[in-house]
Amino acid sequence: MQLSNRTKKIEPKPLNFWERMYLPVIFQGLNITIKHLFKKKATIRYPEVKRELSPVFRGLHILKRDAQGRERCTACGLCALACPAEAISMLSAERTKEEKHLYREEKYAAVYEVNMLRCIFCGLCEEACPKAAIYLQKDKFAPAFFGREEVIYGKDRLVESVTNRAKVGLDQ
Amino acid sequence: MELTSLIVRGLVIFTVFAVTLLIATYSTLAERKIAGFLQDRLGPDRAGPFGILQPLADAVKLFFKEEFIPSHANKWLFIVGPSLAMLTALMSSAVIPFGNEFSIDGQLIPVQGITVNIGLLYIFGVVSLGVYGLMIGGWASNNKFSLLGAIRAASQNISYELAMGMSIIAVLMLAGSLDLRQIVIDQQDNVWNVVRQPLGCVIFITCAFAECNRTPFDLPECEQELVGGYHTEYGSMKLGLYLFSEYINMFVSSAVIATLYFGGYDVPYLSTLGLDKNIETIIGIVALFGKIFFFIFFFMWVRWTLPRFRYDQLMNLGWKSLIPLAILNLILTGGGILAWEHFTK
Ligand code: SF4
Ligand code: SF4
């Protein structure tokens, strides 16, 4: 059966003497490759030079604070639910009076962990979050790991620092 | 007197040996660099400045790998294979004249491992021995892929050795000697053999590619069909020896091509400048190494340009094109020499 009428039967014609010696085409090929020797190289020497990433690049997660420096996450678990890789887990806790300056909502995440080996950096957690708390940064990669303990990122490494605020999402 | 000349001899041999190894080592880096550059990449550049230490890192890595011999392999032959490949590869550089003679204290010291008058025959013999390394290794592995690779290597070498031998005979007819030094001197007196033997030169270079198992004739180890060919079962430094012997073979082939067809250590019109003999010799050595490096580059250049031949194409090219052409070349050369003698004497 033919799907279209565009099929063409090709009869390879026998090579003539010159073609069977392969030499002319070989020199054509050599000419092409030698030109590449002097071309500008495409390599980006990574740790020293960094590629310009797109503004929507999905890199390492960050848990944002609000303008007063309080953590935004309310441990609603929507991100964990949205996560196709089941990389996120958390434990919620109730905010006490004295912690009002630390957490924005009355319920907060006492433990918040992202397993970076499970994560596929799809960004669904970012989309699911109603509190604009979790973001995937465009300028930080998840690093290579040397041990299993390093793989799970807890709050110590996820929460944005108060002094050094990260620019993510819409505020960049 | 006897002793000093012996020591000098040993020194020359040692130097040739060391230089061969050094160049082969750095060919591995050059190969990767050139591969990178031809493909618009940079190649390895992390180990030391410009990746200078890369060969060292490679060797260290290979040495630290597990020394593994598969249980179904013939243990003894399994080890003999790569050793033989390495041995034959190293032996062949002994007779190549890397330069003219140094005269020190009225003593003439030729820059050549061993001066024999059958140098060409020697190289030819040792190079054909080289395939035993692959054969034994592939066979001892007791693995179908290895065996296929080994058989391919053997049949390829046999097919191309014929054409190679016949293209060399034409050179012999011109120089009238098997001595590589004589062949170079003959080229100094007349012109480089590439001018007198263009066809023979092309045939020889093609066959040299096949003998070194380099692309486009790397069928014995083609990854896509045979996993790794004859060295499928090899690992650690035994694999390293196989790969390394390929680079040594490449160096030797380049040296032989340069010597047979491109004047060896000859630099045209150098003798008319009236320089000191020793300085002339040094310039000659540098020139020869320039030629050798060019051909090593050429080997790599071709490798990253051409796809591999199909096996029937390889055999067709060898038996149906190169051998008839080599015979034609032989006849033409013979006729040419006769005509030359007839008209000039
Ligand atoms: S980026 Fe995707 S995979 Fe990674 S934690 Fe978020 S939802 Fe899960
Ligand atoms: S990061 Fe957002 S979605 Fe996830 S638990 Fe916190 S508030 Fe909910």
Side-chain angles (χ1 to χ4, degrees), chain B residues 180-198:
Chain B
L180 286 167
R181 192 170 286 277
Q182 272 306 318
I183 292 173
V184 173
I185 291 172
D186 172 61
Q187 292 180 74
Q188 270 173 334
D189 295 343
N190 299 296
V191 283
W192 287 4
N193 274 338
V194 65
V195 182
R196 293 186 289 179
Q197 290 282 329

Side-chain angles (χ1 to χ4, degrees), chain A residues 58-59 61 79-80 82-88 112 114-116 118-126 134 136:
Chain A
R58 302 188 294 266
H61 306 65
C79 50
C83 177
E86 301 187 356
I88 303 178
Y112 191 102
V114 180
N115 185 332
M116 290 298 167
R118 297 200 68 139
C119 176
I120 54 171
F121 300 95
C122 61
L124 287 183
C125 46
E126 180 181 315
I134 191 157
L136 271 63

Side-chain angles (χ1 to χ4, degrees), chain A residues 63 72-80 90 112 125 128-134:
Chain A
L63 279 173
R72 285 169 162 269
C73 175
T74 182
C76 65
L78 285 177
C79 50
M90 72 195 71
Y112 191 102
C125 46
C129 183
K131 298 289 177 191
I134 191 157

Side-chain angles (χ1 to χ4, degrees), chain B residues 4-327:
Chain B
T4 45
S5 73
L6 218 68
I7 289 173
V8 167
R9 199 94 300 259
L11 227 75
V12 171
I13 291 176
F14 180 77
T15 317
V16 167
F17 185 69
V19 165
T20 310
L21 283 181
L22 187 77
I23 290 181
T25 313
Y26 274 91
S27 299
T28 60
L29 175 64
E31 169 104 273
R32 295 171 65 180
K33 275 280 183 197
I34 287 169
F37 271 77
L38 290 182
Q39 296 173 350
D40 293 345
R41 301 183 280 115
L42 286 178
D45 64 347
R46 293 289 146 165
F50 304 108
I52 285 291
L53 300 177
Q54 188 67 41
L56 236 73
D58 288 342
V60 167
K61 178 203 146 198
L62 282 172
F63 268 118
F64 276 98
K65 291 262 165 169
E66 185 189 354
E67 198 67 44
F68 180 73
I69 298 179
S71 59
H72 53 259
N74 183 328
K75 292 211 169 45
W76 199 71
L77 289 181
F78 194 77
I79 298 170
V80 166
S83 324
L84 205 62
M86 192 70 181
L87 182 78
T88 49
L90 278 173
M91 268 161 66
S92 37
S93 66
V95 292
I96 293 168
F98 284 102
N100 209 338
E101 288 152 329
F102 280 117
S103 70
I104 299 166
D105 277 349
Q107 242 188 317
L108 289 180
I109 303 162
V111 190
Q112 190 174 9
I114 34 176
T115 36
V116 283
N117 55 5
I118 50 155
L120 205 48
L121 207 59
Y122 173 86
I123 285 193
F124 213 43
V126 171
V127 164
S128 6
L129 271 181
V131 76
Y132 277 97
L134 316 190
M135 269 295 277
I136 290 176
W139 183 70
S141 304
N142 204 356
N143 168 318
K144 292 188 185 70
F145 292 118
S146 305
L147 186 63
L148 278 173
I151 293 172
R152 280 185 175 191
S155 59
Q156 177 177 323
N157 274 37
I158 291 168
S159 319
Y160 279 78
E161 226 147 68
L162 278 173
M164 192 184 215
M166 276 192 277
S167 62
I168 290 181
I169 291 176
V171 175
L172 294 188
M173 281 159 52
L174 286 174
S177 167
L178 274 167
D179 189 353
L180 286 167
R181 192 170 286 277
Q182 272 306 318
I183 292 173
V184 173
I185 291 172
D186 172 61
Q187 292 180 74
Q188 270 173 334
D189 295 343
N190 299 296
V191 283
W192 287 4
N193 274 338
V194 65
V195 182
R196 293 186 289 179
Q197 290 282 329
L199 183 58
C201 179
V202 170
I203 295 172
F204 186 85
I205 292 179
T206 314
C207 295
F209 272 85
E211 296 280 307
C212 290
N213 297 328
R214 295 282 301 184
T215 325
F217 305 114
D218 61 341
L219 285 113
E221 46 181 310
C222 55
E223 298 88 355
Q224 291 85 345
E225 296 162 34
L226 293 180
V227 192
Y230 59 88
H231 56 53
T232 303
E233 296 281 8
Y234 281 89
S236 84
M237 205 51 204
K238 289 203 283 308
L239 174 69
L241 285 185
Y242 266 134
L243 303 183
F244 202 53
S245 70
E246 181 183 320
Y247 286 96
I248 299 176
N249 278 333
M250 205 158 80
F251 167 68
V252 173
S253 300
S254 305
V256 173
I257 293 172
T259 309
L260 288 183
Y261 291 99
F262 292 86
Y265 52 79
D266 172 41
V267 180
Y269 305 116
L270 185 67
S271 49
T272 56
L273 293 179
L275 291 169
D276 186 53
K277 269 276 169 287
N278 284 348
I279 292 178
E280 245 176 50
T281 305
I282 290 175
I283 295 177
I285 294 175
V286 172
L288 177 62
F289 274 97
K291 291 170 195 174
I292 291 176
F293 290 147
F294 172 77
F295 281 107
I296 291 179
F297 172 74
F298 184 69
F299 267 92
M300 294 169 181
W301 183 11
V302 168
R303 168 162 184 190
W304 298 106
T305 303
L306 296 184
R308 183 182 299 127
F309 274 90
R310 217 170 49 213
Y311 205 73
D312 61 319
Q313 289 172 331
L314 173 93
M315 283 296 156
N316 277 343
L317 183 72
W319 290 99
K320 293 193 194 157
S321 307
L322 289 183
I323 292 180
L325 280 175
I327 294 175

